[in-house]
CSV table of all heavy atoms in Angstrom, one decimal:
chain,number,residue,atom,x,y,z
D,1371,MET,N,-123.8,-54.2,33.3
D,1371,MET,CA,-122.5,-54.9,33.3
D,1371,MET,C,-121.5,-54.3,34.2
D,1371,MET,O,-120.8,-54.9,34.9
D,1371,MET,CB,-121.9,-55.0,31.9
D,1371,MET,CG,-122.6,-55.9,30.9
D,1371,MET,SD,-123.0,-57.6,31.6
D,1371,MET,CE,-121.3,-58.2,31.8
D,1372,VAL,N,-121.5,-52.9,34.3
D,1372,VAL,CA,-120.6,-52.3,35.2
D,1372,VAL,C,-121.0,-52.6,36.6
D,1372,VAL,O,-120.1,-52.9,37.5
D,1372,VAL,CB,-120.6,-50.7,35.0
D,1372,VAL,CG1,-119.9,-50.0,36.1
D,1372,VAL,CG2,-120.0,-50.4,33.6
D,1373,SER,N,-122.3,-52.6,37.0
D,1373,SER,CA,-122.8,-53.0,38.3
D,1373,SER,C,-122.4,-54.4,38.6
D,1373,SER,O,-122.0,-54.7,39.7
D,1373,SER,CB,-124.3,-52.8,38.4
D,1373,SER,OG,-124.7,-51.5,38.3
D,1374,THR,N,-122.5,-55.3,37.6
D,1374,THR,CA,-122.2,-56.7,37.8
D,1374,THR,C,-120.7,-56.9,38.1
D,1374,THR,O,-120.3,-57.7,39.0
D,1374,THR,CB,-122.5,-57.6,36.5
D,1374,THR,OG1,-123.9,-57.3,36.2
D,1374,THR,CG2,-122.3,-59.0,36.8
D,1375,ILE,N,-119.9,-56.1,37.4
D,1375,ILE,CA,-118.4,-56.2,37.6
D,1375,ILE,C,-118.1,-55.8,39.0
D,1375,ILE,O,-117.3,-56.5,39.7
D,1375,ILE,CB,-117.6,-55.3,36.6
D,1375,ILE,CG1,-117.7,-55.9,35.2
D,1375,ILE,CG2,-116.2,-55.1,37.0
D,1375,ILE,CD1,-117.2,-55.1,34.1
D,1376,PHE,N,-118.7,-54.8,39.5
D,1376,PHE,CA,-118.5,-54.4,40.9
D,1376,PHE,C,-119.0,-55.5,41.9
D,1376,PHE,O,-118.4,-55.8,42.9
D,1376,PHE,CB,-119.3,-53.1,41.2
D,1376,PHE,CG,-118.3,-51.9,41.2
D,1376,PHE,CD1,-117.9,-51.4,39.9
D,1376,PHE,CD2,-117.8,-51.3,42.3
D,1376,PHE,CE1,-117.1,-50.3,39.8
D,1376,PHE,CE2,-117.0,-50.2,42.2
D,1376,PHE,CZ,-116.6,-49.7,41.0
D,1377,MET,N,-120.2,-56.0,41.6
D,1377,MET,CA,-120.8,-57.1,42.4
D,1377,MET,C,-119.8,-58.3,42.5
D,1377,MET,O,-119.5,-58.7,43.6
D,1377,MET,CB,-122.1,-57.5,41.8
D,1377,MET,CG,-122.8,-58.6,42.5
D,1377,MET,SD,-123.7,-58.1,43.9
D,1377,MET,CE,-125.1,-57.2,43.3
D,1378,LEU,N,-119.3,-58.7,41.4
D,1378,LEU,CA,-118.5,-59.9,41.4
D,1378,LEU,C,-117.1,-59.6,42.0
D,1378,LEU,O,-116.5,-60.4,42.7
D,1378,LEU,CB,-118.3,-60.5,39.9
D,1378,LEU,CG,-119.6,-61.0,39.3
D,1378,LEU,CD1,-119.4,-61.4,37.9
D,1378,LEU,CD2,-120.2,-62.2,40.1
D,1379,GLY,N,-116.6,-58.4,41.6
D,1379,GLY,CA,-115.4,-57.9,42.2
D,1379,GLY,C,-115.4,-57.9,43.7
D,1379,GLY,O,-114.4,-58.3,44.4
D,1380,GLY,N,-116.5,-57.3,44.2
D,1380,GLY,CA,-116.6,-57.2,45.7
D,1380,GLY,C,-116.6,-58.5,46.4
D,1380,GLY,O,-115.9,-58.7,47.4
D,1381,ASN,N,-117.3,-59.5,45.8
D,1381,ASN,CA,-117.4,-60.8,46.3
D,1381,ASN,C,-116.0,-61.5,46.2
D,1381,ASN,O,-115.6,-62.2,47.2
D,1381,ASN,CB,-118.4,-61.7,45.6
D,1381,ASN,CG,-119.8,-61.4,46.1
D,1381,ASN,OD1,-120.0,-61.0,47.2
D,1381,ASN,ND2,-120.7,-61.5,45.2
D,1382,LEU,N,-115.3,-61.3,45.1
D,1382,LEU,CA,-114.0,-61.8,44.9
D,1382,LEU,C,-113.0,-61.3,46.0
D,1382,LEU,O,-112.2,-62.1,46.6
D,1382,LEU,CB,-113.5,-61.5,43.5
D,1382,LEU,CG,-112.2,-62.3,43.1
D,1382,LEU,CD1,-112.5,-63.8,43.0
D,1382,LEU,CD2,-111.7,-61.8,41.7
D,1383,ILE,N,-113.1,-60.0,46.2
D,1383,ILE,CA,-112.2,-59.4,47.2
D,1383,ILE,C,-112.4,-60.0,48.6
D,1383,ILE,O,-111.5,-60.3,49.3
D,1383,ILE,CB,-112.4,-57.8,47.2
D,1383,ILE,CG1,-111.8,-57.2,45.9
D,1383,ILE,CG2,-111.7,-57.2,48.4
D,1383,ILE,CD1,-112.1,-55.8,45.7
D,1384,ALA,N,-113.8,-60.1,48.9
D,1384,ALA,CA,-114.1,-60.7,50.2
D,1384,ALA,C,-113.6,-62.1,50.3
D,1384,ALA,O,-113.1,-62.5,51.4
D,1384,ALA,CB,-115.6,-60.7,50.4
D,1385,ASP,N,-113.7,-62.9,49.3
D,1385,ASP,CA,-113.2,-64.3,49.3
D,1385,ASP,C,-111.7,-64.3,49.4
D,1385,ASP,O,-111.1,-65.1,50.2
D,1385,ASP,CB,-113.6,-65.0,48.0
D,1385,ASP,CG,-115.0,-65.4,48.0
D,1385,ASP,OD1,-115.7,-65.2,49.1
D,1385,ASP,OD2,-115.6,-65.7,46.9
Side-chain angles (χ1 to χ4, degrees):
Chain D
M1371 289 313 294
V1372 170
S1373 295
T1374 307
I1375 288 170
F1376 261 77
M1377 176 78 72
L1378 296 176
N1381 282 330
L1382 190 64
I1383 290 169
D1385 286 347

